[in-house]
Amino acid sequence: MNIIIACDSFKGSLSSRSVAAAIAAGLLRAEAALHLTQIPIADGGEGTVDAYLAAAGGERRTRTVRDPLGEPVEADYAILPDGTAVIEMAQASGLPLLAGRTPDPMGASTYGTGQLIRAALDDGCRSLLIGIGGSATTDGGAGMLQALGARFLNGRGEPLAPGGAALAELREIDLTTFDPRLAQCRVRVASDVTNPLCGPNGAAAVYAPQKGAVPRQVQELDRALAHYADVAERTVGRAIRDLPGAGAAGGLGAGLMAFCGAVSGSGIDVMLDAVRFELLLTGADLVITGEGRIDGQSAEGKVPVGVARRAKAYRKDLPVFALVGSIGPGARAVYDLGIDSIQSITPGILTLEQSMEQAADLVADAAERLMRVILASKRSPSVGRMAEPFVGMEKIS
């Protein structure tokens, strides 16, 4: 039996590579004669660099950059065998970097992400893939652009302070010293967010509260981003505020699309294209995917649904199972999007801390249980007909 394992990370406990390895270990305990293909997956957020390196190979580079609050932090990016640089904004400007610290939703900056882009340009890369999930910022990508040479000036011709709130004072974006190498680059953005820059569904209204903003600050940030959009649109000569994905990563999507010529795409689809997923599906009998928590938001394009859609498009009767840390409200929606069954890795009552500490063992045990049911359904077609998620499993060879 040929099985494809394509999972997201379990945030805070297991990388996508570790999840795949644990699933493989559990499957092999149930049946040693399996052919397993492990594909670590990320959708542009935390773990993107690691997932690409594990799936495609390449070289890891490390640079010291500014974190969202301006403090030094070590951040990695990858250079793939074809010369593409994979940049994970969460490494430099991500919310996890503020763990145990007081967030600054008004002043947090994407400057460090711009430093990573500049480093990749210095390395000769002219194809950039930028994952923009998990940000701590709402600055419209201004910090990133400043790190690349753009000057954000107020009415007195002075540089703006870091952060989204300062954009309310923006009068001019001077591109005289903006890095000219970007004009020679192909820039792709990997994101699972399609929000516009401003308004009730924009970067501030939807995501700034997760970054520590109170309602008054959310309104202030939204007004600042709207003003930024006016100035940016005058500068580049095209509208950006309502572009799908402009609101991703606190407006970093808008900055990349407006000033770097970036094309935004679904993070999971970009990843699956990069690893040539359809070729890997050749001869597959089963696909196992997963993430830390599956719920209604997963239906909007998270890793399990992205994997399932591509698997079903390749072959409608190809079974797809999701192993997850927890099942939240609205998870049933994924059944209409290609996932045949969801299996929680938690066998009983455990605290979150216990689940995270035991995650690898829990994943392996759940994979073993799943495979034993599949094997039972193969031996007895009547068993397969009794359990709805396994109808048709007798077709697996």
Side-chain angles (χ1 to χ4, degrees), residues 182-268:
L182 285 161
Q184 307 164 9
C185 290
R186 178 192 184 203
V187 183
R188 290 170 292 163
V189 172
S191 172
D192 61 1
V193 169
T194 58
N195 301 68
L197 181 60
C198 316
N201 294 315
V206 177
Y207 299 107
Q210 302 171 11
K211 305 168 188 181
V214 300
R216 172 186 57 80
Q217 293 173 318
V218 170
Q219 294 174 4
E220 184 177 341
L221 286 168
D222 187 60
R223 288 193 296 268
L225 288 174
H227 176 65
Y228 163 60
D230 290 337
V231 179
E233 289 167 1
R234 289 199 304 267
T235 304
V236 301
R238 67 187 184 99
I240 61 169
R241 70 184 64 215
D242 294 323
L243 291 175
L252 177 61
L256 286 166
M257 287 189 280
F259 295 93
C260 302
V263 175
S264 182
S266 161
I268 178 59

